[in-house]
């Protein structure tokens, strides 16, 4: 299947998942191209971003963002080209990024659309990775909440993912020791050799807690939390006094149904926050830091041009593969920033 | 029993408590007066402060401060008079505050001793309450971590205690709505009538969660955490997006032996921190804010002189009653700042 100029293929939420999403939670539909009003743009999707937060939008449990309605197009950021513009600031052919969803075409208010610039114009899919939302998440969470100082130890999981890999690289630029955690020996080797982590531990191997303690002989000063679960459990006892924990995701929990049985460790966590004087702070990148995007764009562009930032993408061809790819992402099957190529780059 | 000039009565830690402390964990001893070295002061205790943190020092579990050793004098802040000085900055008769422990007399380095000043000279025991450590704790935790804004809702438990009562009063000065929680109808009425809380809920009555929800129709923006347990459970679902939780104590947990059974809500807490973008931060007042004491002293002294700050003390006569009083404090039996009068104010 590929894009044509008369049909809008789109993927809608057919039902809400119980636990891990399955193919039946999604439905492929076709419609005619949407009509265009003044001030709007018609966009053709080229690259669709897949990200862990999408799992949350599939549920109707209270969260920081409203859920995707049943039968509505799945939400998602995408890099697109302008097909038609009814706004003076854009013209056909422009490269843009917007939250335009899992579909070939979208109409959207020009005010909600950002033009690609700088390095992203030469490599447009990066506007969904290191030069976009995941990069911004890593940058602000690590620097504004984590406040890493030279010589401190920074730990981050999903170390080859777009957020984790950038957290590690920025922490190295700031003079920290960086220990990553990832799933599988290949990813771990990659984190060290390609992204420059000092060490990277395979969470699939036994005794993560002991191996993490050995890798962090001076304890942990910043834990950038994006996975939760067993990694958090291993990190908590190793956090130093006054450690900072920016928290942007708990992907290991997104498919959980109910709470695990056993001891209630809520008071263990609050007691630890007190005894170690921890700062744990959740953030949603554009809600909390939208006004500081230019600061990120400028600094990241400088680092990128100076070849200080590496990235890894996994580009899957075809909108029809988005559901299966998201299901795999939530199981850690991706390796690098997962992007669906929905259409050609050229018009 | 009362002080005399040749015997030092002191209370030592006889054994470590399992759960709630009991009388047998303490032992009364008598010794001769300690000898004085250059640069030291000999202090005579007048008022001894009793505070929830003392429970932690009785245990040898890892914490933010080393435990009291077995057979050592119980730790504690006290207001004292200088009996003899081998330091040029102090003279006999001076009023001072220092961490001199549960005893009649102490020798201590002059560097570790602070002279009383301002209003505390007229009412020395206040140097252990609103004008001392508890006041400083309320001031910094609320203002620096809680960052209350006019119109926001602030919740604090132990509302008639020295920290809680001051958190509420400072939050009122800052234009907030203040809801307190306390044990018993009398304390609740006092919090409203005397300390100016907008409402105060009795945690001994049923359905705290529903009553708190009714008292906070716009949710909770700042929860000053000093008790934990059931109060935290009731607060958590009501916290607003971007709420702040300064955490200075979890007194409801200090006597706990092991974790409660049931569901493990650790991931519930981390997920809530993410979804609501909470900031939860523990602090130990002098370790984290010691350098900002003058700022507190100046502001509190101004408020106090302007009659904007009320206080309530419960003064118990006699060092021998300190163990029983601390045991009661941990059960919420005190009403106001608990102070032991160990000796006369006059020489």
């Amino acid at each position: 299947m590929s894009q044509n100029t008369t049909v809008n293929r789109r993927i809608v939420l057919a039902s809400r998942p119980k636990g891990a999403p399955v193919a039946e939670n999604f439905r492929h539909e076709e419609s005619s191209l949407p009509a265009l009003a003044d001030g709007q743009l018609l966009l053709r999707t080229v690259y669709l971003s897949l990200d862990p937060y999408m799992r949350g939008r599939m549920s109707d449990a209270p969260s920081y963002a409203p859920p995707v309605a049943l039968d509505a197009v799945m939400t998602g950021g995408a890099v697109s080209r302008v097909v038609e513009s009814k706004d003076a600031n854009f013209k056909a052919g422009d490269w843009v990024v917007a939250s335009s969803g899992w579909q070939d075409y979208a109409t959207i208010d020009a005010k909600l659309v950002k033009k690609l610039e700088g390095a992203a114009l030469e490599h447009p899919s990066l506007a969904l990775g290191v030069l976009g939302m995941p990069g911004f998440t890593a940058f602000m969470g690590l620097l504004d909440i984590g406040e890493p100082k030279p010589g401190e130890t920074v730990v981050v999981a999903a170390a080859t993912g777009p957020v984790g890999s950038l957290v590690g690289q920025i922490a190295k630029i700031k003079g920290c020791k960086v220990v990553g955690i990832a799933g599988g020996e290949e990813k771990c080797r990659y984190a060290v050799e390609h992204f420059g982590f000092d060490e990277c531990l395979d969470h699939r191997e036994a005794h993560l807690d002991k191996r993490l303690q050995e890798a962090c002989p001076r304890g942990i000063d910043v834990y950038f939390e994006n996975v939760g679960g067993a990694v958090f459990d291993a990190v908590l006892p190793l956090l130093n006094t006054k450690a900072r924990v920016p928290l942007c995701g708990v992907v290991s929990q997104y498919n959980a149904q109910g709470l695990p049985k056993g001891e209630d460790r809520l008071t263990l966590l609050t007691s630890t926050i007190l005894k170690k004087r921890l700062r744990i702070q959740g953030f949603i990148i554009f809600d909390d830091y939208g006004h500081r995007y230019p600061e990120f764009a400028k600094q990241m562009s400088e680092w990128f041009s100076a070849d200080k930032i590496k990235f890894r993408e996994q580009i899957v061809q075809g909108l029809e593969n988005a559901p299966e790819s998201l299901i795999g992402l939530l199981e850690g099957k991706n390796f690098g920033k997962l992007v669906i190529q929905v259409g050609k780059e050229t018009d």
Side-chain angles (χ1 to χ4, degrees), chain A:
Chain A
M1 292 200 297
S2 62
Q3 286 175 327
N4 72 47
T5 56
T6 56
V7 172
N8 185 28
R9 299 174 305 159
R10 55 191 199 176
I11 297 178
V12 303
L13 182 65
S15 57
R16 301 201 184 280
K18 296 181 174 59
V22 293
E24 291 68 35
N25 297 133
F26 304 90
R27 190 173 62 240
H28 298 248
E29 289 187 350
E30 294 193 352
S31 66
S32 54
L33 262 58
L36 204 58
D38 269 355
Q40 287 191 325
L41 310 177
L42 175 65
L43 304 182
R44 178 178 66 80
T45 309
V46 179
Y47 295 107
L48 168 67
S49 182
L50 293 186
D51 300 281
Y53 77 83
M54 292 171 172
R55 175 63 185 85
R57 305 290 173 87
M58 297 177 75
S59 294
D60 55 6
S63 189
Y64 54 84
V68 176
L70 286 177
D71 303 321
V73 175
M74 278 289 295
T75 193
V79 161
S80 302
R81 300 202 71 170
V82 176
V83 176
E84 190 183 346
S85 168
K86 292 204 173 183
D87 183 279
N89 296 312
F90 292 87
K91 63 178 192 304
D94 280 352
W95 280 99
V96 299
V97 63
S99 183
S100 50
W102 295 26
Q103 55 188 343
D104 280 327
Y105 293 96
T107 55
I108 190 165
D109 277 0
K111 286 192 294 288
L112 303 174
V113 171
K114 228 170 67 67
K115 280 191 204 181
L116 297 201
E117 52 190 25
L121 276 173
E122 289 157 41
H123 193 132
S125 59
L126 291 187
L128 304 174
V130 289
L131 301 177
M133 184 270 282
F136 191 27
T137 300
F139 184 89
M140 279 296 161
L142 179 65
L143 297 181
D144 193 66
I145 302 175
E147 299 183 304
K149 293 164 199 66
E152 287 193 329
T153 299
V154 174
V155 171
V156 64
T160 58
V163 175
S165 63
L166 207 51
V167 166
Q169 293 179 82
I170 297 173
K172 287 306 298 178
I173 289 172
K174 295 295 176 184
C176 299
K177 168 167 181 169
V178 177
V179 176
I181 295 165
E185 192 263 340
E186 186 189 2
K187 286 182 182 175
C188 285
R189 195 173 54 237
Y190 196 88
V192 172
E193 293 179 358
H194 191 69
F195 292 128
F197 283 56
D198 294 291
E199 295 193 46
C200 187
L201 308 176
D202 184 354
H203 65 73
R204 296 177 185 166
E205 298 288 327
H207 308 303
L208 179 63
D209 51 351
K210 283 181 193 163
R211 289 182 290 130
L212 189 59
Q213 186 169 25
E214 287 165 11
C216 304
R218 295 194 306 271
I220 298 170
D221 300 294
V222 180
Y223 172 54
F224 189 103
E225 171 66 299
N226 53 359
V227 299
V231 175
F232 187 81
D233 297 349
V235 164
L236 193 59
L238 300 177
L239 289 173
N240 287 331
T241 294
K242 304 279 282 177
R244 289 80 67 198
V245 181
L247 198 165
C248 78
V250 283
V251 67
S252 73
Q253 305 306 310
Y254 292 166
N255 286 336
Q257 296 179 280
L259 297 169
K261 302 291 177 203
E263 292 181 324
D264 182 2
R265 295 178 302 153
L266 188 144
T267 57
L268 173 70
L269 180 53
T270 53
S271 297
T272 306
I273 293 171
L274 172 63
K275 289 175 185 169
K276 296 187 171 180
R277 298 179 268 152
L278 306 178
R279 177 179 178 187
I280 303 189
Q281 184 168 344
F283 69 105
I284 308 294
I285 186 62
F286 280 103
D287 293 359
D288 291 325
Y289 291 107
H291 60 293
R292 293 179 66 178
Y293 192 86
E295 181 184 334
F296 157 72
K298 179 170 182 293
Q299 178 65 78
M300 187 56 61
S301 157
E302 279 177 31
W303 282 336
F304 197 81
S305 305
D307 205 25
K308 289 185 176 172
I309 298 292
K310 311 288 183 192
F311 63 92
R312 179 180 173 115
E313 293 182 308
Q314 177 179 356
I315 297 187
V316 174
Q317 299 297 323
L319 178 63
E320 63 277 15
N321 293 315
E324 184 189 0
S325 298
L326 179 63
I327 292 167
L329 172 71
L330 293 166
E331 296 168 354
K333 287 186 178 166
N334 61 308
F335 189 174
K337 167 61 196 166
L338 186 57
V339 174
I340 302 290
Q341 183 155 18
V342 178
K344 303 190 311 293
E345 288 200 0
T346 51
D347 280 321

